[in-house]
Amino acid sequence: MALGGLSLGLLRSGTRAPAPRRSIALSAGAGRRPRSRPQRPVGSRVPRGAPAHTLCLKLGQAEALLLERPIRDVAPRAEEPCWTSRSSPLPSCWRWWERCSTSIRDGNLPDIVNSGSLHEFLVNLHEKYGPVVSFWFGRRLVVSLGTVDVLKQHINPNKTSDPFETMLKSLLRYQSGGGSVSENHMRKKLYENGVTDSLKSNFALLLKLSEELLDKWLSYPETQHVPLSQHMLGFAMKSVTQMVMGSTFEDDQEVIRFQKNHGTVWSEIGKGFLDGSLDKNTTRKKQYEDALMQLESVLRNIIKERKGRNFSQHIFIDSLVQGNLNDQQILEDSMIFSLASCIITAKLCTWAICFLTTFEEVQKKLYEEINQVFGNGPVTPEKIEQLRYCQHVLCETVRTAKLTPVSAQLQDIEGKIDQFIIPRETLVLYALGVVLQDPNTWPSPHKFDPDRFDDELVMKTFSSLGFSGTQECPELRFAYMVTTVLLSVLVKRLHLLSVEGQVIETKYELVTSSREEAWITVSKRY
């Protein structure tokens, strides 16, 4: 993201902004209950290497937080200490705070920016302070969860809202969520049906677009470098726009126009909301607002066209139109799905092919499965379901690439994680990028090993995080199918090869991507 922008958006939807506070990271200590008025400051030292404006606190055994009580925010005054619980005072900080007054409104935001992304900031924070940490995003407290165990305590399997979609809606300042339980269940079902029906109705289209890309690559000499990221983005844009929004996007110029506006909106969601630069740059802000307005205008026209009419091609928007939703809800849901599906599909395709070019034994095993399932016959929806190893390759791609490194939920009611009480209206981050590289959950976490998903318990853990199964993000489910069809077509006919000496650096945003173009070469299978 960089991804910190998510919290700015979600926090804006909160109620009253608390008074300025110092930035903190909390780690629960064991031991006896703390005294209500300790005679000496608790954890007041600044860790080595910490920025001057950040005060990190690791609580000792004797001075642990009173965990049965919630954290609360109280304005610091010169005459009294700052507090993080009703009974556990922190050292008086007013004079220190005056020296750092320029950073009061930022909290840990400079740390996030200096780390390179919210994901990288969270990696460091969880390494230092454990699975449950907190920090300050501006004037608001944020809690981050960084292991499978603590995430399972917070993730509600009966909750209908998807954390990734919740995050995007907040960043776009959409407000159509938050209905009753029955309304949310109904909308979740519409989403599921929309994905299923659009994939089923448009399978031939998806196959055709995959074969067009194959023909293009077959025409290249074996020495030609292929700009993988660029080709995958173009393929994803053409596939997703037609399957989600219909025949309007059979026109390549419409796809190009959509891609340009999509890029403007997506880049500002990832960056401009994080560092506050969007609001400070009137030119960029106008470009962002114009691009968003144009995307919404296109969607409104499509929604209007599809209402009350029957088409031979069923698209995702049709499922929303046929549901009991008003026009604004349809607009917002189709906007979120269109934005997220395009970029998730493009990056999943890119990373999957990158890993296949790097790990030749994995590509060979995938080729053998594809050849066994399809033989000389066509790629069909029924046979696609038999590609078990391909599914494992894509799951491992999502895990190793940390495809969506952070998602978020706003705490609806007061909750509890381990010994910590999380107050209502607190932003809770799911540090998925941290969780997916936890050696306690994933042996050899940095190794690309699709075979790990042969273990049903591993797949169950993966599903509990929302990457497969009933809790799966609908945009990711959509991307899985599109990528599976594409790989089936490409790997059956082509060797996918890496470019010697290329080092692919990772950029962590809303969806993880390569920092520079990823290049490959291809050769025909004989």
Side-chain angles (χ1 to χ4, degrees), residues 17 88 157 276 375 397 508 515:
S88 181
T397 296
Y508 298 104
R515 192 169 295 279

Side-chain angles (χ1 to χ4, degrees), residues 362-381:
V362 174
Q363 186 177 169
K364 180 182 178 182
K365 188 172 179 178
L366 178 60
Y367 168 73
E368 290 171 352
E369 180 182 66
I370 291 170
N371 206 36
Q372 179 182 357
V373 170
F374 298 112
N376 294 323
V379 176
T380 63

Side-chain angles (χ1 to χ4, degrees), residues 336-365:
I336 295 297
F337 191 84
S338 301
L339 284 173
S341 294
C342 284
I343 203 71
I344 289 176
T345 299
K347 300 312 176 185
L348 180 60
C349 289
T350 301
W351 284 116
I353 292 176
C354 278
F355 287 128
L356 290 177
T357 64
T358 305
F359 299 92
E360 295 179 7
E361 70 282 3
V362 174
Q363 186 177 169
K364 180 182 178 182
K365 188 172 179 178

Side-chain angles (χ1 to χ4, degrees), residues 183 186-187 190 319-326 329-330:
E183 288 174 339
M186 181 269 293
R187 292 174 73 182
L190 284 178
S319 296
L320 301 184
V321 168
Q322 293 163 10
N324 187 27
L325 302 177
N326 61 46
Q329 288 174 327
I330 298 172

